[in-house]
Amino acid sequence: MEKIIAVERNHMGDIVSFKTSNGRVISYRKALMDIETGVIGGVEVIENDIQEENISYSIIDSFDNYPPIF
């Protein structure tokens, strides 16, 4: 099972992509799908009360201590 090891943030500080322990760089949406299907472990997903950008789920973790991808 892969783990998230790094994040990429946009200019507003929002996470836009992740790097996994297998070296994959994936989008936030792909990470949601991989977490839900068990490909990525160590993080939880919750359903949002308010949909943002048509994403009805969020990854629970601030990722503040994760290094940047690049």
Side-chain angles (χ1 to χ4, degrees):
M1 186 176 295
E2 292 180 78
K3 305 276 186 208
I4 293 173
I5 61 167
V7 298
E8 180 179 1
R9 297 179 186 272
N10 64 16
H11 67 282
M12 296 181 64
D14 299 323
I15 296 172
V16 293
S17 58
F18 297 94
K19 184 173 186 178
T20 71
S21 55
N22 285 0
R24 295 187 307 143
V25 176
I26 56 175
S27 69
Y28 193 95
R29 288 178 190 263
K30 176 66 174 157
L32 282 172
M33 291 184 338
D34 286 356
I35 293 165
E36 290 174 348
T37 59
V39 174
I40 296 175
V43 271
E44 294 182 56
V45 174
I46 60 163
E47 189 167 3
N48 290 335
D49 292 334
I50 301 171
Q51 285 191 338
E52 295 180 17
E53 298 178 25
N54 297 320
I55 299 175
S56 58
Y57 294 88
S58 293
I59 299 171
I60 304 174
D61 197 327
S62 66
F63 298 100
D64 289 339
N65 296 322
Y66 286 70
I69 292 173
F70 303 106

